[in-house]
Structure formats: C-alpha cells, structure tokens
Amino acid sequence: MTADGAPHRPASLDEQIARVGTADVVVAFLTYNNADTLPAVMATAARGVAESLPDATLAFVDSDAGSSDGTRDLVAAAGVPAVITTHEAPIGERIAVPFHGVPGRGRGLRAVLGAAQRLRARVVLVLEADVVSLAPSWIERLATAVWQEKADFVAPAYARHRFDGTITNLLIAPLVRALYGRRLRQPLGGAQALSGRLVEHLLVHPRWDWGGRELADVWILGTAIADGFSVWEAWLGQRVISSRTRTADLPAMVAQTLGGVLGVMDRHHDLWGEVRGSEPLPAVGEALLPGIEPRAVDVDRMLSAFALGLRDLTPVWEHVLAPDTLGDVLSLETADAASFRFPDDLWARVVYDAALGHHYAVIHREHLLRSLVPLYLGRTAAYVLATQDRSAAVSEAAAESLARAFERQKPYLVERWT
C-alpha cells in the first residue's frame, strides 16, 4: 500500500529502465518457479562479473513466465539494479513445462534482449536459473571475448559423461553442425553470451516470430553465423540442473528439441541450404574429453523399444522414411545385442527424412516426431555398444564420425527440399 492507502502499483518497464539507466553487462534470466535455486545463481553471476569485468556496471534483467513461488521478488531483492518483466506462456507449456524449463521461452528471450538493448548493454549473458553448478569462471569464459569485441555470440560446451546428453550428441549437435557449418558441442546449451550489436540485429530482424514453437536459440545461432557475426564457444564445467519443472519424458524431449530445430529449418532455408562442410569455432577454456567412468546403461531395454517400433510403427514410418531408408532400417538385426549396429549414414538419412516429412507435413508433426523415439533408442544402443569399455578418444571419434555422416548426407536433404 502507498502512504495514502492506495494499492501499490508495480513499476512499469519504462520506469524500471529509467531507474537503472544503463549497464555495461546485463545478466538475463528466464524464470519459472526457480525460488529454490535463483538466489545462489544470481550471487555467483554477480561475483563472476565483478571478478572478470571489474570496471563494468551490472544489471539483472528477468522475464518471468508466471511464477507462483516469489521468484520475481528474489530478483528485486538481490542487491543488483534490476529490470523485472513477465512474458506470455502458452497454456500447454504451463501444463507440461518444456525440456528447457521455461514456458514461452522465445517470448522471454525477446523481452530480456529488448530490455538489455534499452539499457545499452555491451554484453548480454543469458543464464539458466536452475543450473546450480554455475561458477564465477563460467562468467569470465562466456563474457570476456564479447567484452573485448572479439566475439558476438558465445555458446557453452560442458564437461559431460559420454552417455549423458545423447539427444544432443547423436541428434541435435550433428544436425546443427551440418546445417550451419560450425562444430558446436551444445547448440541448446541454455547459457549464452551476446554482443550488444548482435542483440540489436536480432531485434530488428524481419524474419522471426518470437512467439512461435520453433527454438529461438537455434534461430539466434543460425542468424549470427549467416549474417557474419563472430561465433565462439566456451568450455565450462559440469552442468548440474536442479529443477522441479523440466520434463524428463523422453518422447516429449525428442519431439520438442528436434521439432524446434526442424521448425527453424522450415522457416529459414536460406540460412542453411548453401552450407557445405564445417569448421571449428574459436574456443575459450580447455577442451575436455568426455567422462568414461563405468555407468549402467540398459541397452537391452533400448533394443526392445527399437524392436517394438519395428513391429508396430512401420505403417507410420512408411509415410516418413524413403523406401530405401525404411528398407535399411527394417534390415537391422536385433537378435544379437552384442553385434547390433546402426550405421552413421543410415541414421543421418533417417533424420533427414524426418526433416523432409516435417517440412511437407506428411503426417501430423507431433506424431511424426514421437514415432522417431524407437529409432533414436536404437541408434543410442548402437553408440553405447560401440564405445562402452573403450577410451574417451574412441567416444570422440565416434561422435566425429557421426557428424561427418550428417555432412556427407546433406545433399540428400537439400535435393529433396523445395
């Protein structure tokens, strides 16, 4: 209440911007019920900026998807100048929160980037509110090259076990590498650093709907590459997430991640159609081999799911996969698990056929994406069988072989795409 008894009116966005004035560095969060983890993340981020960019002024910008646990109040109480806003989130994403944990992420990104531009930020760091392993060194590695005007976009590369993140390693990363010609480890890494000039470019770009179902993160990356901005990568530590909202449902994760990438492909063929081959990125930090400590992986269960797909989903796959691709999939031998193989080039063609099927809407797109889960599990089982009990270098070689297959098969995709 105000002094005269009237209800307190939250400051408008314009009022908050005017109060903060300007900030050299904006640390941005997209939040949704992150009260348990956000205070420590904010404190670490502020410490990281103070240690790595001591002459920079700092502001927090938060775009919230409708938290009910006081998340926004925590941002206001953090002791750092802050701009706090909200963004609309589809009701379906509130009921089943997406894999990244933030309903309406595209709108949220638009909101924080817009506020950062108005604050005239040189560096915009987008951090995840539920990644509890954030360290001050992450801030230095993500932000310094942007601050020094060497990079416009810095993506994260995390230290992971070879059997962690197989959706990324076996599906999203090789696909994005073939599309855009850059060898990113973590195209959907959540954290990212952007230059002020890239932010300005993105906000006036005429070809993007921030409220769509496509993954804005992939569009940002592709646009940065296609329009000549400098894209780097930063090696960070382990990414440990503590979330009560992120989905762990495998079909949903495959559908959301791959579906989001395919949506960007469908809307922006001019960004990737002419790209051939790939090149490494400038990198900050020391490259790390994947962890290889023993880990139980239920390969038999994966192969059972794959075999069940062969039995029950062939009528669906007939609409999605080219006849030769489907024939090669159906010929894969699952009787002897130890000898099961899923060739790299075949997997690349499966993914490209799925992209084409999504593009032409040959069946309901959600059904198409979910029908790929048994195929993904079969490919994952083959990867585990080929690398378990082998060195980290073998795992790296397997990932590189797969990525090259996606590059090699890309003409197959382009020739069929109109």
Side-chain angles (χ1 to χ4, degrees):
M1 304 287 285
T2 62
D4 60 2
H8 177 73
R9 179 178 63 86
S12 70
L13 180 62
D14 288 344
E15 291 169 332
Q16 294 182 70
I17 295 287
R19 183 177 66 243
V20 174
T22 62
D24 297 323
V25 177
V26 162
V27 174
F29 301 99
L30 310 179
T31 53
Y32 184 60
N33 291 327
N34 300 122
D36 291 344
T37 57
L38 184 59
V41 171
M42 290 190 295
T44 301
R47 178 184 166 193
V49 172
E51 291 178 354
S52 58
L53 303 173
D55 297 327
T57 56
L58 169 66
F60 287 158
V61 173
D62 175 57
S63 186
D64 189 80
S67 295
S68 58
D69 65 349
T71 291
R72 285 171 287 180
D73 295 335
L74 293 172
V75 179
V80 172
V83 174
I84 304 165
T85 187
T86 59
H87 63 267
E88 295 182 10
I91 186 64
E93 293 191 8
R94 292 183 185 276
I95 295 170
V97 179
F99 73 98
H100 46 62
V102 182
R105 180 175 173 85
R107 291 188 178 96
L109 281 168
R110 174 63 179 83
V112 297
L113 296 182
Q117 181 194 37
R118 295 181 63 182
L119 294 172
R120 290 184 281 177
R122 285 178 55 184
V123 180
V124 182
L125 280 165
V126 180
L127 301 180
E128 297 173 287
D130 55 5
V131 174
V132 296
S133 57
L134 179 75
S137 61
W138 291 25
I139 306 303
E140 178 182 10
R141 293 174 186 176
L142 287 167
T144 300
V146 178
W147 179 260
Q148 295 173 344
E149 299 184 350
K150 296 178 181 177
D152 294 294
F153 182 91
V154 182
Y158 299 108
R160 311 183 78 169
H161 191 278
R162 60 181 163 194
F163 298 148
D164 284 340
T166 50
I167 292 178
T168 295
N169 298 338
L170 302 180
L171 180 55
I172 302 302
L175 175 58
V176 169
R177 169 172 160 171
L179 292 177
Y180 298 115
R182 299 296 190 278
R183 299 173 189 172
L184 280 97
R185 296 286 184 134
Q186 196 79 26
L188 304 179
Q192 53 197 268
L194 302 90
S195 69
R197 74 186 194 106
L198 175 57
V199 168
E200 182 175 3
H201 180 76
L202 296 170
L203 291 174
V204 300
H205 201 289
R207 296 283 301 279
W208 186 247
D209 173 14
W210 294 92
R213 295 186 63 185
E214 303 90 344
L215 288 174
D217 303 72
V218 177
W219 175 77
I220 289 171
L221 169 66
T223 299
I225 293 169
D227 293 350
F229 291 88
S230 177
V231 177
W232 287 39
E233 192 169 54
W235 282 91
L236 309 177
Q238 290 187 329
R239 181 182 184 226
V240 180
I241 296 170
S242 178
S243 173
R244 295 179 295 173
T245 60
R246 295 197 190 212
T247 183
D249 177 66
L250 179 61
M253 292 175 70
V254 171
Q256 290 169 15
T257 54
L258 181 59
V261 175
L262 299 187
V264 174
M265 288 177 63
D266 199 39
R267 290 166 57 92
H268 296 284
H269 173 252
D270 58 310
L271 295 183
W272 57 266
E274 301 299 322
V275 175
R276 296 294 183 272
S278 68
E279 59 187 57
L281 297 170
V284 180
E286 182 181 355
L288 301 171
L289 289 172
I292 60 171
E293 60 272 15
R295 178 171 295 184
V297 180
D298 195 343
V299 172
D300 289 338
R301 184 175 180 181
M302 293 180 187
L303 289 177
S304 293
F306 176 67
L308 189 63
L310 293 177
R311 189 190 74 188
D312 295 342
L313 292 175
T314 298
V316 176
W317 294 342
E318 286 175 344
H319 294 284
V320 178
L321 304 180
D324 288 348
T325 306
L326 179 58
D328 288 343
V329 167
L330 295 176
S331 70
L332 297 178
E333 180 56 60
T334 61
D336 181 10
S339 63
F340 178 74
R341 299 291 182 271
F342 198 132
D344 292 342
D345 285 85
L346 175 57
W347 176 237
R349 284 193 285 119
V350 165
V351 175
Y352 287 154
D353 280 343
L356 292 163
H358 186 276
H359 174 60
Y360 291 112
V362 295
I363 61 173
H364 189 282
R365 285 172 170 167
E366 186 75 12
H367 296 164
L368 183 157
L369 292 164
R370 288 177 176 265
S371 79
L372 299 176
V373 171
L375 294 165
Y376 158 75
L377 288 171
R379 183 61 186 88
T380 303
Y383 170 73
V384 172
L385 289 167
T387 59
Q388 65 183 352
D389 303 323
R390 306 288 297 279
S391 68
V394 169
S395 297
E396 285 288 272
E400 178 64 18
S401 174
L402 178 61
R404 289 186 181 277
F406 272 75
E407 293 179 15
R408 190 164 52 246
Q409 292 292 332
K410 188 175 179 182
Y412 173 92
L413 170 70
V414 173
E415 290 166 4
R416 291 161 176 78
W417 192 287
T418 58

